[in-house]
Amino acid sequence: MARADRAALLVDGDAYFSALRQAARNAEHSIFIVGWDIDSRIPFPPGAQDDGLPATLGKFLDALIERKRALQIYVLDWDFALLYAPDREILPIYNLGWRTHKRLHFHLDDRHPPGASHHQKIVVVDDALAFVGGLDLTKGRWDTPRHAPDEPDRRSPDGKPYAPFHDTQLMVEGAAAAALGELARRRWRRATGHDAQAVGPPAGDGLWPPGVEAEFRDIDVAIARTEPEYEGAAPVREVLQLYLDGIRAAKRSIYIENQYFTAVAIGRAIEERLAESDGPEIVIVTRRAGGGWLEQNTMGLLRARLIRHLVPRDRHGRLRVYCPEQAGLGEECIDLHSKLMIVDDRLLRVGSANLNNRSMGVDTECDLAIEARSPDETQAIAHIRERLLAEHLGVEPQQFAQALERHGSLIGAIEALQGRDRSLSLLEPTLDPDIDRLMPDADVIDPEQPVDPERLVEEIVPADERPHASRRILAVTLLLLLAAGLALAWRWGPLHQWLDVDTLRALSREIERSPWAPAWMLGAYVGASLAAMPITVLIVATAFAFGPWTTVAYALSGSLLGGGLTFALGHALGRRVVRQIAGKRLNALSRRLGEGGVFAVMVLRMLPVAPFTVVNLVAGASHVRMRDFLIGTALGMTPGILAVAVFSDRLAAALRDPTPGAIALLALVLVAVAGGALGIRWWLRRHSRKRAAEQA
């Protein structure tokens, strides 16, 4: 809890970006930007060039540094998963780190458990003014409350238009901002290992943006966090507890805006209130669709399951789930991204936490909450709810207030004002039974606890194989899930509209006709080996682009060439340097390599306990001869390359022409590959036991 001199809710990106730009211009000492995604290329905001500073975010921040000699800017961006790469700025460290002033500090934060993300959206200016909510400083976030279909400024940096976007951000001034500054400093210290520079006193009270009316004055603000357990730090689950407390304390109404609605614990709490004869009305506003085909058939499916579970239990007719609509959008819908809850006229909470399981325990989150303790504060919260619902219904706030007074309920007022071009429509989610049968439960798609590789290994891998297997198992599992998702998207999703097997075949034929094709392919394998990229991924890519026998030739020769070069590199670097690269793997790998020359290398290739490049370097730093290494590599990798090539070829054929015969042949190939893998595993174990008995 911290005191705020003033606080105001900023609705939609235009209000937030404008207020933030005005505050940043007056910063004297520090600006902290903490985000899930940050894009230096966005107009900030569109049309804001009248202050003499550059329009785009990155150049604007750099220009501020040049103007203010004491100003330090710290930008902390989540070191995002590769899955999000197509939607993000390429090499943000180049535009926000290398190309900017030395007092603009940029860092990608990867200090989180496997599978988690840093999802907070916080900006703190001089420890005197702070912004917290659902809005990242990235593309696709700016819009006005009109959400007009033909808004000319609603475009990405590349000029492409995007769907209307609704979100909220809470702005606080005073001690609450200083507390958020300390939170940002702790994140920076944990991510970088260095302390941010201390902040001097702000120059007067000139940070509050002119034209923004304060809705609250001299009020307590609660900072609620989610932080997963990580490196000995205890988990923090304040976000979840505040949600549960708010739902249980409601007397008349609960109003929620949220991008997602899949959190199991929240669903149970709502179900308990629906069972009461005199419980509160519950109105949830969420987006109709969004996030692409894959998200709609994972998170969208979980939302549909939860809504279908709750609706039959709403015996008193007090639950409504709506989505905001705007005429003229065609197939698009308003992308509602806000994370807001209002309980009665007493509690307002705004932040980054989605109503999904991840936000309750896996991802790093930050919400702000205000509890009304006076009639003026109660009226301010009620007015915020009226303003938001009026925006969604295309009416003035006063019109909604009158409808609410006339009908005596949120649902009654909403239904009385429906039917305009801008309106709220009842969300009736559909479930594709085929996809519903395929998709697992929420604890797999949307977990509430971080992924624990060691526990996964304990359940799957025999005890004598565990020491080095956890990361490999997790990586292979994620790779298989990604491959399956891409295959589904390719056949039944939008991916086939712009990329199909014939396109890849045509591209491969162009490459094959080039006299430089062998050099390009061998160079790709050498580059992957030197860059420590997973060689299996490159083999799969080769198999999809070329026929099976061409794949075997390219993959085997490329693997041998890349392996030989990194073997020589390991020999040149020596054991001491390679130890720093391979870490704890060095002694175990060296010992295994020293046991049997060709056979040992072959075993490592068939049942890899370390990445391809690491094995090569360690082998080079050990006493294995180059000849034995190359022979063992060829023998060990050939079965796997052949299996991947044949399977990928049959998979491509089945995707191109999914006849029963093609699918049956694909299944037979899969069974054969699995049987071959099990057979090799059995033979290696039998051989190892036999050798151990002979040595005993």
Side-chain angles (χ1 to χ4, degrees):
M1 298 286 289
R3 203 73 173 169
D5 300 335
R6 287 182 283 186
L9 183 71
L10 305 172
V11 180
D12 294 314
D14 184 55
Y16 171 48
F17 286 4
S18 297
L20 176 55
R21 186 179 179 101
Q22 293 177 60
R25 287 203 316 255
N26 296 322
E28 294 292 339
H29 303 288
S30 71
I31 299 174
F32 274 91
I33 300 174
V34 176
W36 180 82
D37 185 20
I38 296 165
D39 195 318
S40 68
R41 304 165 299 165
I42 62 167
F44 184 61
Q49 293 94 19
D50 57 349
D51 55 10
L53 292 167
T56 56
L57 175 63
K59 293 180 179 179
F60 170 78
L61 296 176
D62 198 37
L64 286 182
I65 291 278
E66 294 288 350
R67 280 190 175 190
K68 306 287 183 74
R69 294 187 178 277
L71 182 62
Q72 303 277 344
I73 299 179
Y74 301 89
V75 181
L76 195 60
D77 191 8
W78 174 44
D79 191 5
F80 54 89
L82 188 61
L83 179 66
Y84 296 101
D87 294 326
R88 295 200 170 217
E89 180 179 14
I90 299 174
L91 293 178
I93 193 171
Y94 175 68
N95 289 325
L96 280 169
W98 299 345
R99 294 184 62 188
T100 54
H101 195 282
K102 64 181 180 180
R103 283 185 279 113
L104 201 166
H105 314 276
F106 177 82
H107 191 80
L108 290 170
D109 189 353
D110 64 353
R111 309 294 290 173
H112 55 70
S117 73
H118 288 305
H119 197 246
Q120 296 168 333
K121 299 96 166 50
I122 305 169
V123 178
V124 185
V125 182
D126 280 351
D127 273 16
L129 190 72
F131 305 82
V132 171
L135 280 157
D136 282 301
L137 299 178
T138 189
K139 67 179 183 179
R141 301 304 195 261
W142 181 90
D143 203 0
T144 71
R146 290 182 61 244
H147 302 305
D150 55 351
E151 173 57 60
D153 288 328
R154 197 173 56 234
R155 294 179 179 273
S156 297
D158 58 5
K160 295 180 180 178
Y162 56 87
F165 192 87
H166 172 78
D167 213 330
T168 57
Q169 206 87 351
L170 192 64
M171 180 171 65
V172 295
E173 179 187 57
L180 289 162
E182 179 55 32
L183 188 155
R185 281 179 173 76
R186 289 202 305 270
R187 274 281 307 273
W188 184 266
R189 190 182 309 121
R190 184 175 65 181
T192 67
H194 303 289
D195 289 326
Q197 182 172 304
V199 176
D205 59 353
L207 292 179
W208 187 271
V212 177
E213 183 179 351
E215 291 158 308
F216 305 93
R217 292 180 181 272
D218 193 24
I219 192 168
D220 284 330
V221 175
I223 302 173
R225 302 159 298 155
T226 298
E227 293 180 1
E229 182 179 3
Y230 184 63
E231 294 185 339
V236 178
R237 310 192 77 181
E238 297 162 350
V239 164
L240 172 60
Q241 193 59 52
L242 185 58
Y243 265 121
L244 297 178
D245 289 346
I247 292 169
R248 290 164 182 164
K251 295 180 179 179
R252 298 186 309 278
S253 67
I254 300 172
Y255 174 68
I256 293 172
E257 288 186 6
N258 211 280
Q259 176 185 6
Y260 295 117
F261 183 46
T262 62
V264 174
I266 305 301
R268 283 197 295 263
I270 290 175
E271 183 179 354
E272 291 173 3
R273 299 310 311 269
L274 293 176
E276 301 173 12
S277 58
D278 58 347
E281 288 184 303
I282 301 173
V283 172
I284 301 171
V285 180
T286 185
R287 61 184 181 178
R288 173 160 51 88
W293 178 89
L294 186 60
E295 183 174 306
Q296 291 172 31
N297 287 282
T298 51
M299 299 299 288
L301 180 141
L302 293 180
R303 181 181 69 176
R305 288 175 180 172
L306 182 54
I307 293 174
R308 288 195 170 196
H309 174 79
L310 290 174
V311 167
R313 289 156 178 80
D314 179 26
R315 292 187 289 272
H316 305 285
R318 296 197 309 267
L319 173 67
R320 296 291 188 278
V321 182
Y322 297 109
C323 56
E325 303 282 6
Q326 170 67 59
L329 292 179
E331 294 298 318
E332 291 184 328
C333 63
I334 295 176
D335 189 355
L336 187 138
H337 192 262
S338 55
K339 301 95 168 57
L340 172 145
M341 182 170 78
I342 297 175
V343 176
D344 298 327
D345 301 337
R346 298 165 50 207
L347 179 70
L348 167 69
R349 67 173 297 164
V350 181
S352 66
N354 286 308
L355 279 184
N356 59 2
N357 294 317
R358 297 181 58 87
S359 290
M360 304 302 140
V362 174
D363 294 342
T364 307
E365 306 284 6
C366 179
D367 287 9
L368 300 184
I370 292 174
E371 186 176 0
R373 302 185 186 277
S374 72
D376 287 345
E377 293 162 3
T378 298
Q379 185 177 1
I381 292 177
H383 179 70
I384 287 172
R385 184 182 57 223
E386 292 162 5
R387 179 157 59 111
L388 290 167
L389 281 166
E391 176 186 325
H392 294 316
L393 290 162
V395 299
E396 295 298 321
Q398 184 60 30
Q399 287 180 263
F400 185 84
Q402 292 170 353
L404 181 60
E405 184 177 359
R406 186 165 58 250
H407 293 276
S409 81
L410 282 183
I411 294 173
I414 291 169
E415 292 180 347
L417 295 171
Q418 285 175 319
R420 293 170 171 78
D421 286 347
R422 181 78 183 278
S423 189
L424 288 172
S425 301
L426 195 65
L427 181 64
E428 298 177 349
T430 58
L431 277 174
D432 186 324
D434 294 331
I435 296 178
D436 190 25
R437 283 193 298 269
L438 286 172
M439 292 299 174
D441 294 332
D443 57 353
V444 176
I445 299 175
D446 179 26
E448 193 173 320
Q449 298 291 340
V451 175
D452 184 353
E454 297 301 327
R455 182 179 176 187
L456 180 66
V457 170
E458 288 176 2
E459 295 175 355
I460 298 175
V461 182
D464 58 348
E465 296 184 15
R466 288 176 192 165
H468 308 293
S470 60
R471 291 185 180 180
R472 178 167 51 91
I473 293 293
L474 179 61
V476 171
T477 302
L478 294 176
L479 180 62
L480 290 174
L481 288 174
L482 178 61
L486 286 174
L488 288 171
W490 200 337
R491 176 61 188 138
W492 289 286
L495 198 59
H496 72 277
Q497 296 173 1
W498 59 273
L499 181 63
D500 56 27
V501 178
D502 292 331
T503 303
L504 284 179
R505 291 291 192 196
L507 179 62
S508 68
R509 284 194 293 269
E510 289 295 325
I511 295 175
E512 284 182 314
R513 283 195 290 265
S514 170
W516 296 100
W520 288 344
M521 295 307 301
L522 294 179
Y525 278 87
V526 170
S529 301
L530 294 174
M533 291 175 57
I535 202 72
T536 306
V537 175
L538 189 55
I539 295 172
V540 171
T542 307
F544 265 94
F546 299 93
W549 307 120
T550 305
T551 294
V552 172
Y554 279 142
L556 186 57
S557 56
S559 298
L560 289 174
L561 181 58
L565 285 175
T566 43
F567 176 97
L569 180 62
H571 183 76
L573 292 174
R575 191 177 183 86
R576 179 175 299 178
V577 177
V578 172
R579 179 185 296 279
Q580 297 182 12
I581 300 172
K584 297 178 181 178
R585 297 185 177 101
L586 178 64
N587 290 336
L589 288 175
S590 295
R591 188 165 53 250
R592 180 167 288 188
L593 285 166
E595 290 173 355
V598 171
F599 181 80
V601 176
M602 183 179 70
V603 171
L604 284 174
R605 295 309 189 194
M606 288 182 172
L607 298 174
V609 296
F612 180 79
T613 303
V614 171
V615 173
N616 302 339
L617 291 171
V618 172
S622 303
H623 300 291
V624 179
R625 291 184 299 177
M626 172 73 85
R627 185 196 64 182
D628 292 345
F629 170 78
L630 292 177
I631 294 174
T633 295
L635 293 175
M637 293 192 68
T638 297
I641 291 173
L642 185 60
V644 169
V646 174
F647 174 73
S648 299
D649 180 70
R650 291 299 90 207
L651 177 60
L655 289 170
R656 186 172 60 249
D657 186 19
T659 62
I663 294 173
L665 184 57
L666 174 65
L668 287 175
V669 170
L670 181 60
V671 170
V673 170
L678 291 173
I680 291 172
R681 185 182 181 87
W682 172 83
W683 178 79
L684 289 172
R685 283 187 169 182
R686 181 171 176 270
H687 189 86
S688 297
R689 285 195 295 267
K690 182 179 179 181
R691 290 190 59 180
E694 291 174 352
Q695 292 174 358

